[in-house]
Amino acid sequence: MTNWQATVLTLFPEMFPGPLAHSLAGRALRESLWLLKTIDIRGFAHDKHQTVDDTCVGGGAGMVLKADIVDAALTHACSQYNEEKPAIIYLTPRGEPLRQPRVRSLMKNNPSGCILLCGRYEGIDDRVIEKWREEKGLIEISIGDYILSGGEIAALTLMDACVRLLPGVVNKQESLESESFELDLLEFPQYTKPQNWQGKAVPEVLLSGDHKKIATWRQGQSEKITKERRPDLWDAYLKNDLSHQK
Ligand code: ADE
């Protein structure tokens, strides 16, 4: 059993667990392999209108989440964890682009879980982000170079990636290890029966029963596809591979 807990700070708690309920992560949640808690940011408003945002200082369209409200919500979220410090993550397109090594390091360095802060509107008053970065090591993560209407879908994405690495969530350790990105290469093509489908045959080598030959073919395919589609990953792989040989 792990005690890995994700605590999501959001104005839309009903978005969780959302699609995660129907995936591997959802099954793991029902089996208590991880915990999910949502905290409604609006609950920290202190006026009768439950105001959480205000207009941008300096002008401009849209509303900004207020620093004192987000600060109170983050403090409350932290109180859910005991001695071990959770990772504190603000989901924003301005953050570090999410890649598998970051997912791995989060799971290794923060076994108690993470606090996921989801922004809406034009953003969050930057002073509260700066305070939590300086004092508690908050990090900012982006799931890609596009603008979502809020951090919630990014938080769901990050949680899915994290939960898969918990023991017992993905059945075979082997399937985790062979997966794309663990080795910095994209995955080789997969096939199932029938052997011939609409005039397309499964590559002959896969029917040979020669495991060594099959592994070599798959490695070759992974390299070819990575080279063609993701020269950035290919370069990183070559560098890594060379450094391993040293
Ligand atoms: N919020 C809005 N867009 C986002 C993105 N691309 N990544 C993370 N959080 C976001």
Side-chain angles (χ1 to χ4, degrees):
M1 268 271 291
T2 76
N3 294 308
W4 194 87
Q5 173 171 323
T7 305
V8 185
L9 299 179
T10 171
L11 288 168
F12 300 93
E14 64 280 6
M15 285 178 75
F16 298 88
L20 291 187
H22 307 281
S23 67
L24 223 55
R27 199 183 62 195
L29 191 57
R30 289 188 289 279
E31 290 172 356
S32 303
L33 295 175
W34 65 293
L35 301 168
L36 171 61
K37 192 158 167 98
T38 51
I39 294 178
D40 189 347
I41 295 174
R42 204 168 291 282
F44 297 86
H46 32 63
D47 63 342
K48 71 169 191 279
H49 302 293
Q50 291 204 292
T51 311
V52 291
D53 54 5
D54 210 334
T55 51
C56 299
V57 177
M63 303 292 275
V64 177
L65 289 178
K66 290 163 74 67
D68 59 337
I69 300 215
V70 173
D71 189 52
L74 280 168
T75 303
H76 178 74
C78 281
S79 73
Q80 312 262 311
Y81 294 83
N82 304 327
E83 327 78 65
E84 280 183 309
K85 299 268 172 287
I88 305 173
I89 300 166
Y90 171 35
L91 285 314
T92 164
R94 289 172 48 185
E96 165 197 314
L98 182 63
R99 301 197 58 213
Q100 192 69 15
R102 166 60 82 179
V103 180
R104 280 213 166 275
S105 74
L106 284 172
M107 298 313 278
K108 188 162 165 249
N109 301 331
N110 301 92
S112 64
C114 58
I115 293 171
L116 302 171
L117 173 60
C118 303
R120 279 265 157 172
Y121 310 123
E122 300 318 293
I124 298 179
D125 188 317
D126 210 58
R127 293 167 294 179
V128 69
I129 302 302
E130 190 181 302
K131 172 187 162 178
W132 282 76
R133 184 194 305 122
E134 287 168 3
E135 296 180 9
K136 306 276 186 198
L138 171 148
I139 57 170
E140 296 175 54
I141 288 183
S142 162
I143 63 158
D145 291 338
Y146 37 79
I147 313 291
L148 302 168
S149 40
E152 285 78 8
I153 291 173
L156 288 165
T157 303
L158 178 55
M159 281 191 280
D160 189 74
C162 286
V163 166
R164 298 181 75 263
L165 299 186
L166 288 170
V169 175
V170 172
N171 272 339
K172 280 195 209 133
Q173 203 55 30
E174 196 187 306
S175 64
L176 278 181
E177 275 158 20
S178 72
E179 249 166 38
S180 35
F181 293 106
E182 295 308 319
L183 301 172
D184 281 327
L185 288 179
L186 299 177
E187 209 170 36
F188 48 79
Q190 301 275 15
Y191 306 91
T192 184
K193 291 177 265 309
Q195 208 167 308
N196 286 292
W197 177 77
Q198 296 196 354
K200 292 177 183 293
V202 168
E204 201 63 40
V205 58
L206 299 177
L207 307 167
S208 68
D210 183 335
H211 297 299
K212 223 175 138 196
K213 243 164 120 179
I214 290 173
T216 307
W217 181 84
R218 286 177 166 167
Q219 176 71 15
Q221 288 290 309
S222 281
E223 292 181 0
K224 178 169 171 282
I225 290 167
T226 307
K227 231 186 280 187
E228 283 168 6
R229 298 185 186 181
R230 293 291 303 275
D232 56 326
L233 281 183
W234 178 246
D235 285 347
Y237 171 76
L238 286 183
K239 276 198 199 106
N240 224 335
D241 216 37
L242 289 174
S243 67
H244 284 155
Q245 283 169 21
K246 272 183 201 151

